[in-house]
Amino acid sequence: MATRQGLDAETVLQAAIDLADQQGIEQLSLAALATKLTIKTPSLYNHIKGLPDLRKQLSKRGLLLVKEAMVEAVIGKAEDEALLAAGMAYVDFARKQPGLYEAISALPDYEDPELKEVGAGVVSFLLRILAPYGLSEEDALHVVRGFRSMVHGFASLEHRNGFRMGLDRDESLRRLLQTYLRGLRVR
Amino acid sequence: MATRQGLDAETVLQAAIDLADQQGIEQLSLAALATKLTIKTPSLYNHIKGLPDLRKQLSKRGLLLVKEAMVEAVIGKAEDEALLAAGMAYVDFARKQPGLYEAISALPDYEDPELKEVGAGVVSFLLRILAPYGLSEEDALHVVRGFRSMVHGFASLEHRNGFRMGLDRDESLRRLLQTYLRGLRVR
DNA sequence: TATAATAACTAATGTCATTAGTTTTGTAAA
DNA sequence: TTTACAAAACTAATGACATTAGTTATTATA
């Protein structure tokens, strides 16, 4: 072996993200990851705690990045326009980083404190966008659930080729969100 | 060993469903399944082709049953009332058969012809409910995508404890669907 | 009763994740 | 510059899996 490369946790995580995005989260194994990094599998344990830990890191990073994408997308926008842009950004994220998105979505342990915190960050972001609607706290929380259900459901179905008709997908998403928002206006 | 028990494919599938519902689809292994059936792992190969095949069977059965549940739920109902009932039935199914629901939803290979066919059955069921709305074919397909996104997204988030506020979940789903349906009316 | 099909079995292989214990390497202190 | 320590890599070993091949036993049928 040549000189050691001095991997760190972030490099390992990035390589794992690449693998997950390219081959799917199911195919992400420590063996494959070690091969990609040209080290032996047990050496990974210097940087991660194990496979479950790695998956958790992917989930957390995914949640952070998807929120970041939504924050970026709503700059200069408000109300319906902002919600539409946030929804599109969410789905676009799932398209561009499918493995990371799977990591968010195939998550078993949502009870983990770290993930709870990041998840709460997404919710409070959405609540801030909803502020101008003047909803009660309870109403707003129902809307947040609705919004998350729509975009997650759409992204998830699209990801698994659940939409098989030759129908424009962006248009489907736009209509879904707009129809919902229209319904919200006319209460 | 005593007399052989004469297992068949259906019994094996049922046992697999039980395991998946109780412990989650991730925990469903051939080893665990064989133990439950008091046989050795290789004996399973008399009834299934392998683990991927078993998963596919679970997905197919899940799709069939969830459609059945929706069909049953809309008896005597039409339009908004029918769509609401179908959505509730979908989510209820995910609650009662979480493993089977995971099998539908964690599915990689949606290209499989058998699954394609069952999935198409769900879509045509929804199209029939939408008939009275007098939508164009294209509009109706967008609505079907929207409906599937909403209910799948909701069920999926709920399944992973994605809803952490102490807010009534049935109420959230009802509002989501009703808001969408209201938006559909007021175009 | 004999035979064929089927359901079970044992044995073996290969892929994983994981742990324990060891060697090497880079860096920082003496 | 040398020494010492921490970190990053390694080898070896274990145990859980899925899967295949080949074998035995049981049920049903001819």
Side-chain angles (χ1 to χ4, degrees):
Chain A
M1 67 218 95
T3 62
R4 78 172 160 185
Q5 32 182 331
L7 290 178
D8 60 5
E10 179 60 27
T11 310
V12 171
L13 177 56
Q14 277 302 335
I17 291 173
D18 288 350
L19 267 182
D21 281 340
Q22 285 158 20
Q23 325 201 344
I25 195 86
E26 296 280 333
Q27 303 306 315
L28 172 61
S29 64
L30 295 191
L33 181 55
T35 300
K36 183 183 171 78
L37 293 166
T38 57
I39 57 176
K40 304 295 178 180
T41 308
S43 307
L44 285 172
Y45 285 77
N46 288 310
H47 308 291
I48 59 173
K49 295 202 195 92
L51 188 55
D53 168 62
L54 181 64
R55 282 203 224 269
K56 194 189 95 176
Q57 287 186 55
L58 286 178
S59 302
K60 188 181 174 185
R61 181 61 57 92
L63 280 172
L64 283 169
L65 290 179
V66 79
K67 182 191 161 188
E68 205 173 289
M70 288 193 291
V71 166
E72 207 275 337
V74 301
I75 293 174
K77 302 194 164 114
E79 307 202 24
D80 286 15
E81 205 192 354
L83 283 171
L84 200 59
M88 287 287 180
Y90 185 98
V91 169
D92 266 338
F93 176 83
R95 288 170 179 160
K96 287 177 185 150
Q97 305 244 248
L100 219 37
Y101 180 69
E102 281 183 306
I104 301 177
S105 108
L107 185 63
D109 182 14
Y110 230 108
E111 292 306 306
D112 183 278
E114 281 186 70
L115 293 175
K116 238 177 186 163
E117 193 189 328
V118 188
V122 173
V123 171
S124 66
F125 160 76
L126 292 172
L127 284 174
R128 287 184 60 190
I129 297 193
L130 285 174
Y133 290 81
L135 302 169
S136 72
E137 191 184 332
E138 186 184 325
D139 286 356
L141 286 171
H142 284 299
V143 172
V144 167
R145 284 184 176 175
F147 179 86
R148 292 175 62 211
S149 296
M150 288 187 285
V151 295
H152 166 60
F154 188 93
S156 173
L157 289 174
E158 184 180 45
H159 176 65
R160 337 195 294 263
N161 276 313
F163 299 144
R164 288 184 311 294
M165 309 299 290
L167 195 64
D168 186 71
R169 290 198 280 269
D170 283 337
E171 176 66 17
S172 292
L173 175 61
R174 204 176 304 120
R175 287 190 189 202
L176 168 59
L177 292 171
Q178 278 173 344
T179 302
Y180 177 82
L181 292 170
R182 205 180 309 125
L184 207 56
R185 295 256 172 229
V186 296
R187 275 176 317 163
Chain B
M1 69 215 92
T3 62
R4 78 173 161 184
Q5 32 182 330
L7 289 179
D8 60 5
E10 179 60 27
T11 311
V12 170
L13 178 57
Q14 276 302 335
I17 292 172
D18 288 350
L19 267 182
D21 281 340
Q22 284 157 22
Q23 325 200 344
I25 195 88
E26 296 279 335
Q27 304 306 314
L28 172 60
S29 63
L30 295 190
L33 181 55
T35 300
K36 184 182 170 79
L37 294 165
T38 58
I39 58 175
K40 304 295 178 180
T41 308
S43 306
L44 285 172
Y45 285 77
N46 288 310
H47 308 290
I48 60 174
K49 294 202 195 92
L51 188 56
D53 169 63
L54 180 63
R55 282 202 222 271
K56 194 189 94 175
Q57 287 186 54
L58 285 178
S59 302
K60 187 181 175 186
R61 181 60 57 92
L63 280 172
L64 284 169
L65 289 179
V66 79
K67 181 190 162 188
E68 203 173 289
M70 289 193 291
V71 167
E72 206 275 336
V74 302
I75 293 173
K77 302 195 164 107
E79 307 203 22
D80 287 15
E81 205 192 354
L83 283 171
L84 200 59
M88 287 287 180
Y90 186 98
V91 169
D92 265 338
F93 176 83
R95 289 170 178 160
K96 286 176 186 151
Q97 305 243 245
L100 220 37
Y101 180 69
E102 281 182 306
I104 301 177
S105 108
L107 185 62
D109 183 15
Y110 231 108
E111 292 307 306
D112 183 277
E114 281 186 70
L115 294 175
K116 237 176 185 164
E117 192 190 329
V118 188
V122 173
V123 170
S124 68
F125 161 74
L126 292 173
L127 284 174
R128 288 183 61 190
I129 297 193
L130 286 174
Y133 288 80
L135 302 168
S136 73
E137 190 183 333
E138 186 183 325
D139 286 356
L141 286 171
H142 284 299
V143 172
V144 167
R145 284 185 176 174
F147 179 86
R148 291 174 64 211
S149 296
M150 289 188 284
V151 296
H152 166 60
F154 187 93
S156 172
L157 289 173
E158 183 180 47
H159 176 64
R160 340 194 293 262
N161 275 313
F163 299 143
R164 288 185 310 295
M165 311 297 292
L167 195 65
D168 186 71
R169 290 198 280 268
D170 283 336
E171 176 66 17
S172 292
L173 175 60
R174 205 176 303 118
R175 287 189 189 203
L176 169 59
L177 292 171
Q178 278 172 345
T179 302
Y180 177 83
L181 292 170
R182 206 181 308 125
L184 208 56
R185 294 254 172 232
V186 295
R187 276 175 314 165

